[in-house]
Amino acid sequence: MKNLLRLLAFVAFTATAALAADAKLIAAVRAADDERIAATKAGDRARLEASYSDELHYAHSSGKVDNKASQIDGIVNGGNIYERIEYKDRNFVPIAPGIVLMKGRAIFTMQPKAGGAKVINDLNYLAVWREEKGKWRFLAWQSCKNPPADAKK
């Protein structure tokens, strides 16, 4: 009986330690993503350079695919200003050492620089974060548009 209690205590301690480690890891990745979003809205090239992996693969909901250089150029010099990025759902799933998936739903509101109507994209997404030299970097993005609310009926 004593051995069983020791085993149960060890399992409980190990599970608690693992949950605490995951919570710390997820907090770090969430902070990295918050910085990426702030850099995107600010159109800040240096901050985007620091957030993105050199191996970035960014697949837009339109089907266009960007690498690090083209994605940053599109944000900094492109035709839209990112006014708002609102997560409706954002979940982080550690899947391997140094790799975290981020998945959910977000609303992207952009204002064309040339004027005109705002562009609002309601997206489901899957993103990949990778720890590179002790820093979390944005490695990949894939998204698809949700149908308009009236089409969901």
Side-chain angles (χ1 to χ4, degrees):
M1 183 69 166
K2 234 192 229 181
N3 287 340
L4 178 60
L5 289 175
R6 285 183 184 152
L7 177 62
L8 289 174
F10 175 76
V11 169
F13 174 78
T14 303
T16 302
L19 289 174
D22 275 358
K24 185 177 177 182
L25 178 129
I26 289 168
V29 178
R30 182 183 304 275
D33 188 56
D34 290 345
E35 167 57 17
R36 177 187 69 87
I37 294 300
T40 298
K41 289 167 52 179
D44 187 318
R45 180 179 296 279
R47 289 168 64 194
L48 291 165
E49 288 274 351
S51 293
Y52 290 163
S53 170
D54 288 342
E55 298 175 36
L56 179 71
H57 178 91
Y58 196 105
H60 298 265
S61 61
S62 65
K64 177 184 176 198
V65 177
D66 279 314
N67 60 26
K68 181 177 182 175
S70 62
Q71 176 64 10
I72 292 173
D73 190 56
I75 291 170
V76 174
N77 300 318
N80 292 313
I81 297 169
Y82 287 83
E83 284 188 348
R84 187 170 183 200
I85 300 170
E86 176 187 2
Y87 285 113
K88 296 296 186 180
D89 189 22
R90 179 171 63 157
N91 297 295
F92 298 90
V93 182
I95 60 165
I99 301 288
V100 174
L101 296 182
M102 182 178 81
K103 59 185 181 168
R105 180 174 162 240
I107 310 293
F108 284 69
T109 304
M110 297 163 287
Q111 179 64 51
K113 289 179 181 175
K118 288 183 183 184
V119 176
I120 300 173
N121 287 324
D122 181 352
L123 305 173
N124 288 316
Y125 64 86
L126 176 63
V128 181
W129 285 88
R130 179 171 66 185
E131 190 174 19
E132 299 176 359
K133 297 179 183 175
K135 182 171 178 175
W136 287 99
R137 300 208 188 268
F138 197 62
L139 177 66
W141 173 270
Q142 178 79 47
S143 62
C144 64
K145 291 181 184 173
N146 284 308
D150 58 349
K152 292 180 185 177
K153 294 178 185 178

